[in-house]
């Protein structure tokens, strides 16, 4: 499978990314917690061991929760950073992290909206249909302060938009019609304990 790490093609990348191997699993915040509604603080210090450790921990947490993207406020950290390990609709795997991302979408008349099922690790056990543009570009910085431009299509474009929303205090259910949102939140209430148990089992089997 072709792999793009930080937007650059590499020959191969381990199934379990080295970031995840190094990282520790943190608790995933759940809708209702105030940090998920904050505009996250920008990263101002790059190249620190704290930032590298946060990214490692986010990769480990994302893997245990079986997600394809995770924002820092989802591990209770008020910083504008998200990570991803996401296969798009074209069989390309995307892996990376970005700080202080700004989302660029096409102008409305050139946007192609695609509806798909979407879920969120912070709304555990729920999914809802949501239309989003099928292309997205985020611009930001890697952990060392180098500029990054990450382009996504299809499902990866959805992930880039979803994660940027998180860092602006948004959740995908905000974009879902009222009735579907209520259904999703009920689904969460019914399924959340099972989801937490599954994450705990995956973490234990992995030795984290
Ligand atoms: Zn989410």
């Amino acid at each position: 499978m072709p792999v793009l790490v930080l937007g650059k093609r590499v020959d191969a990348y381990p199934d379990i990314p080295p970031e995840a191997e190094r990282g520790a699993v943190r608790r995933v915040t759940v809708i209702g917690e105030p940090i998920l509604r904050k505009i996250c603080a920008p990263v101002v210090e790059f190249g620190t061991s704290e930032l590298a450790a946060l990214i490692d921990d986010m990769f480990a947490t994302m893997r245990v929760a079986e997600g394809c993207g995770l924002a820092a406020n989802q591990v209770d950290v008020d910083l504008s950073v998200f990570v991803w390990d996401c296969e798009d609709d074209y069989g390309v795997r995307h892996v990376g992290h970005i700080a202080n991302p700004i989302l660029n979408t096409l102008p409305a008349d050139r946007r192609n909206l695609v509806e798909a099922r979407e879920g969120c690790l912070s709304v555990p056990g729920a999914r809802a249909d949501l239309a989003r543009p099928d292309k997205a570009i985020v611009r930001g910085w890697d952990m060392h302060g180098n500029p990054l431009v990450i382009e996504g299509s299809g499902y990866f474009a959805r992930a880039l938009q979803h994660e940027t929303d998180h860092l602006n205090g948004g959740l995908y259910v905000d974009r879902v019609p009222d009735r579907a949102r209520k259904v999703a939140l009920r689904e969460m209430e019914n399924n959340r304990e099972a989801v937490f148990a599954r994450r705990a089992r995956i973490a234990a089997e992995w030795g984290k």
Side-chain angles (χ1 to χ4, degrees):
M1 183 193 294
V3 188
L4 294 182
V5 176
L6 292 173
K8 293 209 170 67
R9 191 168 283 258
V10 298
D11 289 336
Y13 207 67
D15 279 350
I16 301 180
E19 296 92 331
E21 296 278 19
R22 289 190 299 261
V25 176
R26 301 197 192 187
R27 185 183 71 86
V28 177
T29 52
V30 175
I31 183 170
E33 296 186 46
I35 194 158
L36 289 173
R37 293 309 190 179
K38 284 197 61 174
I39 296 175
C40 290
V43 174
V44 291
E45 257 196 284
F46 290 90
T48 66
S49 55
E50 288 84 1
L51 183 57
L54 171 65
I55 289 165
D56 288 348
D57 289 359
M58 288 170 67
F59 266 92
T61 306
M62 175 170 68
R63 180 176 167 77
V64 160
E66 300 173 283
C68 66
L70 187 73
N73 52 350
Q74 293 185 275
V75 291
D76 212 13
V77 173
D78 177 13
L79 263 189
S80 181
V81 177
F82 70 76
V83 302
W84 63 89
D85 187 346
C86 182
E87 194 181 327
D88 68 20
D89 307 11
Y90 313 98
V92 179
R93 181 182 174 199
H94 302 262
V95 183
H97 67 271
I98 193 165
N100 306 344
I102 301 288
L103 176 71
N104 299 146
T105 45
L106 291 167
D109 60 333
R110 288 172 52 210
R111 252 176 235 168
N112 183 29
L113 292 179
V114 172
E115 193 169 80
R117 296 290 274 172
E118 192 162 322
C120 177
L121 301 184
S122 294
V123 190
R127 294 175 82 74
D129 289 326
L130 178 58
R132 293 202 189 252
D134 68 346
K135 289 199 167 31
I137 298 177
V138 291
R139 294 168 200 279
W141 311 90
D142 73 10
M143 69 169 97
H144 305 292
N146 303 306
L148 277 182
V149 180
I150 305 294
E151 293 189 44
S153 302
Y155 198 72
F156 184 48
R158 180 172 296 271
L160 292 173
Q161 294 169 76
H162 179 117
E163 301 310 328
T164 308
D165 278 352
H166 271 302
L167 300 178
N168 291 317
L171 290 164
Y172 84 100
V173 288
D174 306 342
R175 297 182 179 274
V176 166
D178 284 353
R179 185 186 292 189
R181 178 167 54 248
K182 283 188 188 130
V183 171
L185 294 176
R186 204 175 317 127
E187 241 187 309
M188 178 183 84
E189 291 308 325
N190 292 336
N191 297 337
R192 60 190 287 171
E193 291 310 321
V195 171
F196 294 155
R198 183 180 166 89
R199 290 177 188 171
R201 194 170 66 239
I202 293 170
E205 281 168 7
W206 189 22
K208 293 276 187 187

